[in-house]
Amino acid sequence: MTDAPWWQRAVGYQIWPRSFQDSNGDGIGDLPGIISRLDHLSDLGVGFVWLSPAYASPQADMGYDISDYRDIAPEYGTLDDMDRLIAEAGKRDIGIVMDLVVNHSSDKHHWFEAARNDRNAPERDYYIWADPGPDGEPPSSLRACFGGPAWNWCERAQQYYLGYFSPFQPDLNWRNPALRREIWDMMNWWFDRGIAGFRMDVISLIGKDVENEVFEEGPFLHDYLQEMHRETLRGRDVVTIGESWSVSRETAPLYCAKDRDELSMVFQFNHIKSQWHDVHGKWKPKPFDLVAFKEELFGWQTALADEGWNSLFLSNHDLPRQVSKYGDAGEYRQRSAKALATVTHLMKGTPFIYQGEEIGMTNIQLERLDQFRDLEAIGLWHEEHERGVDWETFLAGVNENGRDNTRTPVQWDASDSAGFTTGHPWIEVNANYREVNVAAERDRADGILAHYRDLVKLRRERDIVAFGRFESVADNHPQVVAYLRTLGDERLAVVVNMTGEEVTFDPPQRLRIVGEGLLATVEPREAIDGPLTLAPWESFAIHAR
Ligand code: NOJ
């Protein structure tokens, strides 16, 4: 296992810079703030940070709209701060993985400015344009992800441009080789500054065939990813994670099988989507369905068992807080946060922790439109309102699944604004910060933070956690997650009660095991030798060798 890539034993930690730590009292997180908190990350033991966009940006989509790929947003700091962050993290053996947002740029990028001003500018063809129809109409009625039409009329250019997400995020035209060259040069420029890799935003969209309205996993996608590999990644010891909302178990190996020379792994969302409403998607809450959830989680473990590599996560800046969504944010917040971490971190793949998850941060309950910051939620309200949806129904959906939930400031301590800022935070701090904060967790030997620390360490130290073969157990059990990992003669059994009730579980023979109790969140356990009575949200793992 010693020749395995470093990122197969590492845990990633996502920082969403606007809400991590403010250093200058302007109420907005920044790079010096991140540097001041690096010891928290090295204490946790993570191997790399995925830094959500900190580039220059008008922040229409909170940085996922970049106006200069080679500069830092002034409210976040400077390129010098970025270099310092890379160096300081490096001293702690933590790599910095940047976010590569190249399906689209900001409409304030100088490429787009040039493109819309001059039909003959070389940058014109960096974007996707279409002539109006005979009556001035757009080429299609395609809707943008964040509301409104995807084709936007540009008066100066006298053409429509494609903004698949929003008018502020014009899509880049990957079919233009000069555009691709710009991107390769920019990636190499960042690699030369010492970053450890890229998380690639909605990467499965770059190969789109607009004429035929094929957007996801379009016909050019893998050619471009292979070109990217040749031009930027080859020979570098870096990690790459491609985000895709469309990738399936069948297509995943195309991105990350070793001999394909594309990416290290993908972020897929099928387990997340298994909990969305069939008709109304993520905005209509539905009861948690553990069997469907396991079907996806376990299915992906099997699909990528021999080829490719999984990413493991339940949260990020686009998703709700996991303890609120899948656990119990009330009575069993501590136990359920640990249970969910046990499930995620002991599977095979690279786990990711989203800032604040390691202390069991919860969703925030918002009541008024002026409290929301996310353009997706605000755009949604305008659309729903027009459709006649009432405020209470809208609120129920966004308070459960909206993106502002994970964007509230990290709760560091019980002081004002949770130690995030000395100023006025750009988004509200969750009211529970006096109880839920890093300082309080640090003092708890059996707390959530301690549990995450143990899980991260187990992956680094035990081959079976990092590389053991995954075998699902009790797929159809509606309350329990159970699985087995095997490596040579070694076995690792993992059992988690995913409910707030006491549950009896009769483990099949192959899960019966006597060994070392690696972790247990309710009471120590060293054997599974018959039917189990599991306490609410109990989780444990036993290693036999
Ligand atoms: C996915 C990102 O994670 C999300 O935050 C963003 O809004 C879209 N891609 C568009 O860049």
Side-chain angles (χ1 to χ4, degrees):
M1 309 299 166
T2 44
D3 59 347
W6 60 271
W7 42 265
Q8 294 191 340
R9 297 203 92 107
V11 171
Y13 185 98
Q14 184 188 353
I15 290 185
W16 199 73
R18 205 168 191 78
S19 293
F20 191 67
Q21 176 68 57
D22 177 20
S23 73
N24 60 1
D26 66 358
I28 297 174
D30 50 40
L31 300 184
I34 297 175
I35 296 170
S36 74
R37 294 292 187 185
L38 281 174
D39 287 339
H40 172 65
L41 304 186
S42 66
D43 171 56
L44 199 51
V46 300
F48 64 98
V49 162
W50 152 26
L51 180 66
S52 273
Y55 308 89
S57 161
Q59 306 289 340
D61 187 18
M62 298 301 166
Y64 285 90
D65 50 322
I66 296 172
S67 54
D68 188 344
Y69 291 96
R70 300 187 192 216
D71 206 355
I72 298 297
E75 66 269 40
Y76 293 161
T78 62
L79 272 176
D80 281 347
D81 292 327
M82 190 66 214
D83 289 341
R84 214 154 48 81
L85 173 60
I86 295 169
E88 286 297 322
K91 283 185 199 159
R92 294 163 175 84
D93 277 335
I94 298 173
I96 298 292
V97 170
M98 298 282 280
D99 215 313
L100 185 76
V101 188
V102 288
N103 171 66
H104 44 267
S105 73
S106 158
D107 62 336
K108 301 289 180 302
H109 195 291
H110 72 86
W111 294 339
F112 193 68
E113 294 287 345
R116 69 171 150 203
N117 282 336
D118 179 359
R119 236 174 219 272
N120 299 316
E123 292 86 351
R124 176 73 160 205
D125 191 47
Y126 285 11
Y127 294 91
I128 299 171
W129 299 93
D131 286 329
D135 296 320
E137 71 276 13
S140 80
S141 57
L142 185 71
R143 305 293 294 171
C145 296
F146 298 144
W151 287 102
N152 302 280
W153 177 246
C154 177
E155 193 55 36
R156 264 187 283 167
Q158 289 293 301
Q159 276 189 312
Y160 284 93
Y161 68 89
L162 178 67
Y164 189 80
F165 285 92
S166 79
F168 317 110
Q169 294 161 297
D171 282 59
L172 289 165
N173 177 19
W174 273 72
R175 295 178 77 170
N176 181 326
L179 182 265
R180 299 203 298 279
R181 186 73 260 159
E182 298 259 20
I183 292 171
W184 312 150
D185 289 349
M186 176 269 287
M187 291 174 71
N188 286 326
W189 184 84
W190 278 108
F191 281 131
D192 293 344
R193 289 194 107 90
I195 64 165
F198 281 110
R199 173 266 185 187
M200 302 182 183
D201 192 64
V202 288
I203 204 66
S204 50
L205 285 171
I206 64 171
K208 60 176 87 69
D209 173 0
V210 178
E211 293 76 45
N212 292 307
E213 298 222 323
V214 180
F215 293 97
E216 283 286 358
E217 303 192 293
F220 314 106
L221 171 63
H222 292 287
D223 286 347
Y224 297 156
L225 288 176
Q226 285 173 11
E227 184 177 319
M228 174 193 282
H229 193 277
R230 284 194 303 278
E231 297 291 335
T232 72
L233 305 173
R234 185 153 66 192
R236 297 189 195 269
D237 189 13
V238 294
V239 64
T240 48
I241 314 112
E243 186 209 27
S244 172
W245 286 80
S246 61
V247 61
S248 64
R249 294 178 215 173
E250 291 70 40
T251 57
L254 296 175
Y255 300 75
C256 63
K258 212 169 170 191
D259 59 358
R260 297 265 312 164
D261 280 346
E262 292 190 17
L263 305 177
S264 314
M265 64 190 108
V266 290
F267 276 141
Q268 60 85 17
F269 296 89
N270 294 279
H271 56 303
I272 304 285
K273 288 191 286 190
S274 74
Q275 304 307 312
W276 288 4
H277 194 276
D278 291 342
V279 180
H280 304 283
K282 71 173 174 174
W283 301 117
K284 186 152 173 117
K286 79 167 202 190
F288 182 60
D289 176 350
L290 181 63
V291 172
F293 198 58
K294 288 192 288 188
E295 215 287 294
E296 289 296 346
L297 280 182
F298 295 177
W300 276 78
Q301 288 286 301
T302 312
L304 298 187
D306 300 311
E307 274 195 304
W309 188 256
N310 271 297
S311 65
L312 308 170
F313 68 96
L314 298 178
S315 302
N316 71 24
H317 65 293
D318 293 329
L319 303 173
R321 286 283 175 190
Q322 65 190 51
V323 73
S324 300
K325 179 73 185 165
Y326 312 108
D328 174 353
E331 181 186 358
Y332 289 118
R333 188 182 63 85
Q334 291 258 341
R335 273 202 209 175
S336 65
K338 289 193 258 180
L340 294 171
T342 305
V343 170
T344 313
H345 280 249
L346 294 180
M347 288 189 289
K348 187 173 173 191
T350 299
F352 288 78
I353 302 169
Y354 178 74
Q355 63 186 31
E357 176 193 324
E358 74 278 22
I359 56 163
M361 278 180 63
T362 63
N363 276 357
I364 190 168
Q365 292 300 303
L366 299 176
E367 287 161 9
R368 302 182 316 274
L369 196 61
D370 67 276
Q371 292 174 297
F372 286 91
R373 295 289 176 271
D374 179 19
L375 93 163
E376 181 181 49
I378 297 167
L380 178 77
W381 167 243
H382 293 307
E383 297 226 315
E384 300 266 270
H385 187 50
E386 263 172 40
R387 255 186 255 134
V389 173
D390 63 84
W391 174 251
E392 298 308 322
T393 307
F394 162 79
L395 206 57
V398 282
N399 273 338
E400 177 162 331
N401 267 339
R403 308 196 299 180
D404 281 328
N405 281 309
T406 39
R407 298 177 175 192
T408 66
V410 171
Q411 295 161 207
W412 294 103
D413 57 41
S415 69
D416 287 350
S417 296
F420 163 69
T421 181
T422 54
H424 184 70
W426 73 279
I427 187 174
E428 280 173 43
V429 175
N430 194 312
N432 63 12
Y433 72 94
R434 289 190 200 280
E435 180 202 337
V436 180
N437 62 62
V438 173
E441 272 297 316
R442 242 189 237 122
D443 294 336
R444 291 192 188 118
D446 64 347
I448 305 170
L449 186 58
H451 186 67
Y452 271 88
R453 219 184 271 125
D454 290 347
L455 287 165
V456 174
K457 192 157 170 250
L458 282 174
R459 178 166 302 271
R460 257 202 332 262
E461 292 180 353
R462 309 243 173 174
D463 283 351
I464 193 163
V465 173
F467 304 111
R469 234 185 143 68
F470 177 95
E471 245 183 75
S472 75
V473 176
D475 294 9
N476 293 318
H477 198 296
Q479 292 156 310
V480 173
V481 167
Y483 55 81
L484 194 65
R485 306 282 306 276
T486 55
L487 188 71
D489 295 337
E490 294 180 45
R491 289 193 305 154
L492 171 71
V494 179
V495 177
V496 182
N497 176 1
M498 293 284 288
T499 75
E501 329 260 285
E502 192 174 272
V503 165
T504 49
F505 171 51
D506 191 7
Q509 203 55 43
R510 63 206 164 97
L511 204 66
R512 311 255 164 138
I513 187 172
V514 180
E516 180 190 358
L518 284 193
L519 47 87
T521 55
V522 175
E523 52 166 306
R525 294 207 188 240
E526 278 157 9
I528 303 176
D529 48 13
L532 296 164
T533 303
L534 300 168
W537 293 104
E538 175 172 1
S539 68
F540 64 90
I542 299 172
H543 185 189
R545 49 178 162 189

